[in-house]
Amino acid sequence: GPDADGAWRDDGCGLGHTRLSIIDLSPAGAQPMASPDGRYVVVFNGEIYNFLELREELEARGESFAGHSDTEVLLRLFVRDGLEGCLARLRGMFAFAVWDRQQQELALARDRVGVKPLVYAETAEGFLFGSEIRALLALQPALPRRADWAAIDHYLTYQYIPAPLTGFAAIRKLPPGHLMKVRGGKIVSLARYWDIDPGAATTTANFAESCEQLREQVLEATRLRMVSDVPLGAFLSGGIDSSVVVAAMCRLSADPIKTYAIGFEDEKFNELPYARQVAAHLGTDHHELTVRPDAAAIVPQLVEHFGEPHADSSAIPTYYVSQLARRGVTVALTGDGGDEAFAGYRRFYHASLAQRLSDSGLLPAWRLARRATTALEGMGRKQGPAFPHTRADQGLYLPPAQRYEHLIAYFTRAEKQALVTPRFRERAGDVDTSALVGQWLERAGGADRINRHLYVDLHTYLPEDVLPKVDICSMMNSLECRSPFLDHRLLEFAMRLPGHYKMAWPHRHKHNLKEAFKDWLPPGFMERGKMGFSIPLARWLRGDLADLVRERLLAEQTLAPWINVAPVQRQVEEHLSGQASHSKRLWALLILAEWMKVFGIEA
């Protein structure tokens, strides 16, 4: 935050905070903030969207307030009701810590979905925590720079590192929906305080009724997120989710909403025409930019702020649209979470279809049918693809957890086995990366096939990939992002709806979301294909990033202790020459190598 900073120190504890001022811009909202009696001191990152309602309740219970910030409401609620009681009432995105000077105890918590980050290290010298890994390294430069080998194994599969792991063996993440208590510099308790009920859908509403209820839920979640003492706007990518959010904002505001979109010269990745269509239909104050980024310059900056390997290349457009929006606003609403809540990804179709076939005993027959279909598709070609050549077909031979892992893996198990060195495998040990998926599939065993996989993504891809990407890239530009689809009550409502409301057979994704809001957007808009917020990565790796790829992966051989040089050299040569495309894999390896270099990782 560029607006203010503060520090507080006492026997046994020191707290620091840098502020992006959103609610109560006066000194009364400054942090660290102490309770009136001085016993409790809080540092807090995020927003409590229902703070006005909570403030009224606290005033009815005898509280009086010095300012009008949500931080002060959070602290008073904590003092009144304790950590667990406080968390049960909060509706927002947050990571916070409260020091109890009397009990010499630190209480920490992270919001239910994982919008705001919280990393920590438990060391012999004491307990450290912060919003970014580099903050911990600044607090204690002697923290070991050793990699967590199991975490890197997960990264090669998923493109991110799941909590509680980080890239560093000495640093951990507090998982979403968890609380922690620390005394004497040691963790004394760590517990989950919230989870979506993954049981069978419980709604009694028919499809039409559920669409009406969905509109009400989205409007309410959007209204709460439009409370701000600073200018507010929205990202408008041209996709369905951000368009729905902007449409809701327009219904709630008397003034035109400021919207921001970026595009690329490569038309395959350019959604600006769709964003313009929505902006014109809704009458927004629209701003856009065609990005010609210096990709080689932005990569080290992103790696430094992420603090660990994170290979979602859409971090680049997220950074640039945040930079564009910050010129006019301090808060931007987004459509993040819509895909995970309402089945927006094609993998949900493939995974639920395979499970449906398996449950009905038709999987062997389907394999034969797919083999025959592949053969027919290859007729007339000199050499058609051998069955099974797609990830979806290969998954038909795998158990459920490995099947879903295979659908989303950057490097499949076989590819990873050929890629890593014996030293890496020895250090990492026998890591079953599919267990990450398997644990959530098992917990969601009572849900229908579609909701089961939505539940997985709500606990993996959303909090571990999407949310860190948006939070870090926006905060790098001093912009706060808020998404109505991440409202925990909206997510709970969505999980109560049967899967076929969200994905109509055979594969109309986000079925109820499209039907609920089709009249709010241009005619036919809901039927356009999904593009995703992506970049022309393959071309950039052959152009702007080619020198960096050659330098990190070939000349310096930064990854040589972990990764076999021969397959990497082959992939680089094939990609740069245009013989084949290995963009996602090379990007993941480039980010890994850059992380090792930026942070001086001990290999």
Side-chain angles (χ1 to χ4, degrees), residues 85-140:
C86 170
L87 289 168
R89 300 299 317 283
L90 300 181
R91 192 172 181 180
M93 57 179 187
F94 51 82
F96 67 81
V98 180
W99 175 247
D100 182 340
R101 298 176 67 193
Q102 181 175 308
Q103 295 295 325
Q104 294 282 292
E105 179 179 86
L106 186 71
L108 305 103
R110 190 172 173 207
D111 66 70
R112 295 169 178 84
V113 188
V115 183
K116 287 297 178 182
L118 203 164
V119 292
Y120 65 90
E122 192 177 23
T123 76
E125 289 76 26
F127 180 86
L128 312 173
F129 72 95
S131 295
E132 287 192 16
I133 285 173
R134 64 187 189 135
L136 305 189
L137 298 175
L139 282 166
Q140 191 166 322

Side-chain angles (χ1 to χ4, degrees), residues 370-383:
R370 285 294 304 142
R371 182 183 296 276
T373 302
T374 303
L376 288 171
E377 290 171 350
M379 289 180 65
R381 303 179 194 171
K382 290 184 178 179
Q383 185 175 358

